[in-house]
Amino acid sequence: MRRADEEEEPLKLIRRYVTPDRRYLKLGGNLLGMSGRDRTKFLRKLGQAAGEISPRELDTLFDRGWRERKTAAWLVAVAGRSEFRDRLGELLLASEGPYAGMAYCVALATFGTRADADLLVVYLDRYLRRPDLYYDQEAALGALLLLDAKLDADYAARFLAPDGLWQQWIDGPPSKEGEVPDSYREFIGKLCAFADEAAKQGPNRLT
């Protein structure tokens, strides 16, 4: 009975926070296509969920698959739960599965400190040296450029130097059709703005 109860709790959390209106699929670039009533409703429900979920429940979601981790990272971003910074950095660096890495980058960018920039630097230092791996290098660079602008810093400069790690990663092999780096900063910035807007819709953050 205890084992069944232990498995039932995560399933309840998934039904409450991850799958309503296919939330886990919409979190990310799809958010930018929302408008009108759908956008307002999604923002309100996301803000409420971020304010209601407890740290223990977030830990449970982070211990599961990409859908749960992606959703948990967004809830952390909206609620400003910077106590999850190290957990996000570990998950980003491990890159154990697809689809969630961008959410980790968005969350770190919303926290907006040098500690968050340091985690993105560690990630880029590792994965820009692997041109064979097309993971979340673009999202991480965009988040780092966004933090550079917020902090009046230049963390990204060495990656973007001529023949630096960014260009080496773009050139491959295999070669990649990379956008201008500022386009990634703009994209992550729009997602962070969405998280900030959702935060204003929810109840006061739980501690």
Side-chain angles (χ1 to χ4, degrees):
M1 178 66 74
R2 181 188 176 96
R3 186 184 183 115
D5 290 342
E6 288 175 351
E7 184 57 29
E8 181 61 22
E9 181 184 7
L11 293 177
K12 287 180 179 178
L13 292 177
I14 291 167
R15 288 192 292 265
R16 181 176 179 184
Y17 293 111
V18 180
T19 58
D21 297 324
R22 306 184 83 187
R23 176 180 287 157
Y24 70 93
L25 285 178
K26 297 175 181 177
L27 292 169
N30 290 334
L31 294 174
L32 304 183
M34 287 188 182
S35 61
R37 187 174 299 175
D38 288 342
R39 186 177 188 276
T40 300
K41 179 181 176 182
F42 191 88
L43 277 167
R44 184 179 70 253
K45 290 190 173 183
L46 184 63
Q48 289 173 346
E52 292 168 0
I53 193 168
S54 71
R56 184 180 63 82
E57 290 170 334
L58 283 165
D59 277 329
T60 298
L61 293 182
F62 276 128
D63 284 339
R64 295 184 68 86
W66 69 266
R67 295 169 183 82
E68 295 87 353
R69 290 177 174 182
K70 177 182 179 182
T71 306
W74 267 94
L75 295 175
V76 162
V78 171
R81 292 189 181 274
S82 58
E83 66 267 29
F84 283 92
R85 173 183 291 116
D86 290 342
R87 185 77 184 273
L88 291 166
E90 291 168 2
L91 289 169
L92 179 63
L93 192 62
S95 292
E96 294 174 336
Y99 309 124
M102 183 188 295
Y104 306 151
C105 294
V106 169
L108 293 173
T110 61
F111 298 157
T113 73
R114 291 181 179 272
D116 304 295
D118 288 339
L119 292 173
L120 292 165
V121 165
V122 170
Y123 175 85
L124 289 168
D125 247 335
R126 175 178 295 186
Y127 286 102
L128 287 182
R129 299 176 192 276
R130 295 293 307 274
D132 57 313
L133 300 180
Y134 197 96
Y135 284 0
D136 297 290
Q137 291 93 331
E138 294 167 341
L141 181 66
L144 189 61
L145 285 168
L146 194 65
L147 287 175
D148 273 347
K150 287 182 179 180
L151 300 169
D152 192 24
D154 58 354
Y155 286 97
R158 67 183 180 89
F159 297 117
L160 297 175
D163 298 320
L165 287 178
W166 175 253
Q167 193 61 51
Q168 293 174 36
W169 181 75
I170 289 291
D171 290 343
S175 62
K176 304 160 192 69
E177 295 183 7
E179 301 287 342
V180 176
D182 275 345
S183 68
Y184 303 124
R185 175 189 56 77
E186 182 179 356
F187 177 71
I188 295 297
K190 289 179 179 178
L191 295 180
C192 289
F194 196 100
D196 290 341
E197 192 173 348
K200 297 174 183 176
Q201 304 294 320
N204 292 334
R205 180 168 71 92
L206 299 178
T207 57

